[in-house]
Amino acid sequence: MSATSHLDRAPSLADVLAQRLEQDIAQGHYAPGEKLPSEQQLATTYGVSRPIVREAIGRLKHDGLVTSRQGSGAFVAESGGASVFRLDVSNFKDREEIESLIELLMAIESSATELAAQRRTEQDLIALGHQLEAMQAAIERGDSGVDEDVAFHRAIVEATKNPFFMDLSTFLDRRVRHFIRTARANTAKLQTGHMMAVQDEHRDIFNAIRDKDAQRARQAAENHLKRAAQRLAIYMKRV
Amino acid sequence: MSATSHLDRAPSLADVLAQRLEQDIAQGHYAPGEKLPSEQQLATTYGVSRPIVREAIGRLKHDGLVTSRQGSGAFVAESGGASVFRLDVSNFKDREEIESLIELLMAIESSATELAAQRRTEQDLIALGHQLEAMQAAIERGDSGVDEDVAFHRAIVEATKNPFFMDLSTFLDRRVRHFIRTARANTAKLQTGHMMAVQDEHRDIFNAIRDKDAQRARQAAENHLKRAAQRLAIYMKRV
DNA sequence: GTTGCCATCTTGTCAGGCAACTTGGTTATG
DNA sequence: CATAACCAAGTTGCCTGACAAGATGGCAAC
């Protein structure tokens, strides 16, 4: 078996064709609103069958780059840009990618905390309080507390009422959670001390949101995330 | 321009099937790592042909929800979550969606400016200076200056060296740019005054980045974005 | 000149089939 | 008896061919 395990999955024909068409559109080879060649024509020019062309175009349609009308043809979308944004995370192993992801997470999370402080309802506050208690219970149980940690942050972004923040945050949480979990499992000794620190920082955030103090909430979030990143760095060093 | 609204695009069979499968996976109907039925089987159960099934599964593959191995079958991806994040922006008309998008843009941009101040190279600074001059020239020419405005912000996010910031920012810029452009076209009178204000704010950001003063850079960016949002709100009221 | 109709093109979908690959059991061999 | 080679069934990847539904442009009739 080669060292590259599943990094090089066979790129299907539809894959490369879709990528190629996407590239052609991005480079302005096909203007916005312009009708691109028929499926049959594309099939002959690129030397593949029509179903393959269909699959590739279907992908572009799914990404909002083209819109097709039956009987008329396929047209590249107006305004040049796609209506969906794709954030491709290739692999966990890449350290730079992780750090970039964490930076993005910190940006989102701190802004979300600020917004949450401005907009939180009584209900949001109650939910946050429950998550705080759940975290405390997890600490006393001796659990890892990762789920409760994530749930607390989740409650914050939900208080923003901004669907983009919520979606992005859940995605990033999912991607980073693995690290935290595996890292913490390897260093059980340090857990309780660290987790009590986490809990204190969470409480600071909670209090700021309770007081609707946006600036303090942001600072508390930044402080928490910075420390969390440091703790994570310590964990990662060991691996 | 065609008056035909493209709001109601016919949902193709592959579309609904992909959505259905995605839903089934999200709801845990198919466990992570589990092999899902063969294409033939899915075709018969859902009453469609195999190419349709292929197209639907191809979409899920593209979104990282499933991985297929030739000869073996298709398996839902591990860790439950997709490896790509999709940010669907349905339509410009929705006011709430726009405001949510702008909030996200502000969060990204202000954090990016802070990071840029920490990491900018001499080359980054030169590029930023050029964009600043280009903006000045646009003002004196009487141009809209939207492109130069975007280019300046683009140069900032590029200085972060974080690909996720860059990609997300370009996407959001593209989505918001339309508004700015159409809005400014309608209110040509106010342009010059506003644009000089924009230029002053840009200069503040530039100076902070030049001095590598991250905190000041962030504040300058927040100030600029907040004012920009206000200006945009004024424009939008007129429409 | 306007209107209605039709041939033609394009997309959407289906059916069938072959090649490449994986898998599990079966058989031959030591 | 254990092990290794082998083969047959199942599955995905891809192709050819064909028909239905919708759109488009030109042609003919009025």
Side-chain angles (χ1 to χ4, degrees), chain A residues 11-26 56 59-60, chain B residues 62:
Chain A
S12 70
L13 287 185
D15 236 320
V16 302
L17 180 55
Q19 201 167 348
R20 170 119 190 211
L21 288 176
E22 193 177 331
Q23 196 175 331
D24 283 353
I25 291 176
R59 229 167 264 184
L60 299 187
Chain B
H62 191 226

